[in-house]
Amino acid sequence: NAGVTQTPKFQVLKTGQSMTLQCAQDMNHEYMSWYRQDPGMGLRLIHYSVGAGITDQGEVPNGYNVSRSTTEDFPLRLLSAAPSQTSVYFCASSQAGQGGYNEQFFGPGTRLTVL
Amino acid sequence: RKEVEQDPGPFNVPEGATVAFNCTYSNSASQSFFWYRQDCRKEPKLLMSVYSSGNEDGRFTAQLNRASQYISLLIRDSKLSDSATYLCVVPYSGAGSYQLTFGKGTKLSVIP
């Protein structure tokens, strides 16, 4: 199994550009989530999904959209990039049922810089 | 927002030393707790889960004190390969789902 994969690994955007960060998992996990990690801060939850067709906001959702059309994929869209969105983005998945209580499997991360 | 606070670190210890990290949490309803390890520029990976008073796995021991709302991680006989950032993670439930609150992490450097 590949586990959780993320693309791209690195990205540089200009302010105002939009883009989609891809996340896929092959473990048939129902629970998927997106985090951002900034220096001096813990990982912060952006959006999460408890199954295909179901998404909800986390702690820092502004400026981001998600959708979950399949169990495997959970893309994160930046609508209009801002320098404050410069960060490392991690996608994670876990088994269903009390998602936060099960082991989270993280992807390798996407390092995004917004100029 | 539920808070999770960790020792600020960094901890610089010699090989073979014993080192302990503490983590305090604010959500008294939390029932399970986790320590994740994150290597430099890598993703976090689960190190240990703590569901009752504590858990031990080889050189690693996690203890839970519910009355004082803190969790500790003890590493005995430190190895160079233990150098990493250790994240304290507390799930909390709300609005019918379960989410995680991550501490900012404690950086450990084991020196020869």
Side-chain angles (χ1 to χ4, degrees):
Chain A
N1 288 346
V4 180
T5 58
Q6 291 183 238
T7 57
K9 284 186 170 53
F10 302 93
Q11 183 70 49
V12 178
L13 292 178
K14 294 181 180 179
T15 297
Q17 288 184 315
S18 62
M19 78 159 295
T20 299
L21 278 62
Q22 301 292 343
C23 174
Q25 52 91 9
D26 61 359
M27 297 174 282
N28 201 32
H29 287 167
E30 292 194 9
Y31 190 94
M32 296 186 73
S33 50
W34 276 102
Y35 294 89
R36 60 177 289 172
Q37 186 174 37
D38 302 296
M41 304 285 290
L43 276 79
R44 291 182 292 169
L45 183 65
I46 304 171
H47 286 284
Y48 65 96
S49 169
V50 298
I54 306 170
T55 63
D56 206 347
Q57 297 181 349
E59 180 188 357
V60 288
N62 292 342
Y64 308 94
N65 274 356
V66 292
S67 60
R68 184 96 179 271
S69 56
T70 67
T71 298
E72 294 78 19
D73 300 297
F74 191 42
L76 178 72
R77 283 184 290 277
L78 279 70
L79 308 174
S80 177
S84 61
Q85 294 178 305
T86 294
S87 188
V88 180
Y89 292 85
F90 289 102
C91 178
S93 74
S94 67
Q95 290 181 342
Q98 303 185 1
Y101 289 82
N102 296 319
E103 179 179 0
Q104 303 289 306
F105 293 85
F106 286 85
T110 293
R111 284 164 175 76
L112 175 68
T113 300
V114 182
L115 303 175
Chain B
R1 176 170 184 262
K2 306 300 181 183
E3 298 296 330
V4 176
E5 301 290 339
Q6 293 188 242
D7 284 347
F11 286 69
N12 299 312
V13 302
E15 273 186 288
T18 295
V19 61
F21 309 138
N22 287 329
C23 168
T24 59
Y25 60 95
S26 62
N27 183 13
S28 60
S30 296
Q31 295 296 310
S32 58
F33 308 86
F34 305 95
W35 284 100
Y36 278 72
R37 170 193 169 127
Q38 186 173 24
D39 293 308
C40 186
R41 300 182 69 81
K42 298 290 188 181
E43 70 272 23
K45 292 183 180 179
L46 180 66
L47 176 67
M48 295 186 75
S49 305
V50 187
Y51 296 107
S52 57
S53 61
N55 190 15
E56 184 172 330
D57 183 5
R59 297 182 294 109
F60 298 84
T61 300
Q63 291 188 320
L64 169 63
N65 185 318
R66 291 188 188 276
S68 301
Q69 293 184 211
Y70 79 81
I71 318 145
S72 63
L73 177 67
L74 182 75
I75 305 176
R76 292 180 297 276
D77 189 23
S78 298
K79 310 291 185 189
L80 295 176
S81 57
D82 294 335
S83 297
T85 296
Y86 291 83
L87 309 177
C88 176
V89 184
V90 180
Y92 68 92
S93 60
S97 68
Y98 299 84
Q99 301 178 31
L100 299 174
T101 300
F102 285 77
K104 296 178 182 179
T106 300
K107 185 175 181 180
L108 171 66
S109 293
V110 181
I111 54 181

